[in-house]
Amino acid sequence: MIILEGIDGVGKTTVADFLSKKGYTTHHFLFDEKNQDIVEKYLRLLERNTDKMILDRCFISELVYGPILRKQCKLSKKQLFNLLNRYRKINPLVVYLKANKEDILKRRKDDIADYSMLSENFDVLNKRYDKV
């Protein structure tokens, strides 16, 4: 399993699309402020064959975006440790993608809401990703 992480517009989906042409199964997840079953969503994936599986985002995004955009993370410490322990057993490769602000904003210019959010939060999102 390969997990692709990074802020919006960094190229996660582009990498996932490339790898899907090489035989990987891709699961694309958006950071969804309304999603309430975040733990179950990521645990259900482990019931499948995780060989050659790509996650375009995972619960790591909640650890980054939740505290910044909603002032809280939807995951309790207990839920987080459960997810980490379950994922650790399959030993995924986590790839953290980064890009400079100008390139990301250029890529997101047609999505006004996303462009605005990234413009305002670029530095704090990157710092949070580095910490997580």
Side-chain angles (χ1 to χ4, degrees):
M1 176 186 281
I2 299 173
I3 298 171
L4 303 173
E5 275 293 348
I7 66 173
D8 294 357
V10 77
K12 296 176 301 297
T13 302
T14 301
V15 172
D17 289 346
F18 173 79
L19 291 172
S20 72
K21 293 174 185 165
K22 304 292 183 189
Y24 283 82
T25 302
T26 301
H27 298 274
H28 180 83
F29 297 101
L30 301 172
F31 171 73
D32 181 3
E33 293 186 26
K34 298 176 185 122
N35 189 350
Q36 298 301 318
D37 67 342
I38 188 169
V39 174
E40 288 303 314
K41 172 173 69 171
Y42 291 111
L43 288 176
R44 278 193 301 268
L45 284 174
L46 299 177
E47 296 170 1
R48 302 177 185 187
N49 180 359
T50 58
D51 292 343
K52 296 195 93 170
M53 180 186 286
I54 300 285
L55 299 187
D56 182 345
R57 289 203 181 282
C58 76
F59 56 88
I60 295 170
S61 290
E62 174 60 26
L63 298 173
V64 173
Y65 280 82
I68 293 170
L69 300 183
R70 285 192 318 277
K71 307 296 183 222
Q72 67 179 12
C73 179
K74 289 182 182 177
L75 296 171
S76 69
K77 285 184 181 182
K78 182 178 179 180
Q79 290 171 320
L80 175 59
F81 287 126
N82 183 32
L83 284 167
L84 288 173
N85 286 330
R86 296 282 300 278
Y87 271 74
R88 188 175 293 138
K89 289 178 183 176
I90 61 166
N91 197 29
L93 173 66
V94 179
V95 179
Y96 172 33
L97 301 169
K98 293 181 89 170
N100 67 50
K101 186 175 183 176
E102 295 76 25
D103 288 342
I104 287 177
L105 292 178
K106 189 184 304 181
R107 291 183 77 186
R108 304 308 285 190
K109 70 181 184 323
D110 294 332
D111 183 338
I112 301 302
D114 203 37
Y115 180 94
S116 177
M117 184 276 298
L118 287 167
S119 182
E120 293 172 23
N121 296 294
F122 180 84
D123 291 330
V124 70
L125 286 168
N126 276 296
K127 286 178 186 173
R128 181 78 181 163
Y129 261 114
D130 288 344
K131 182 178 180 181
V132 169

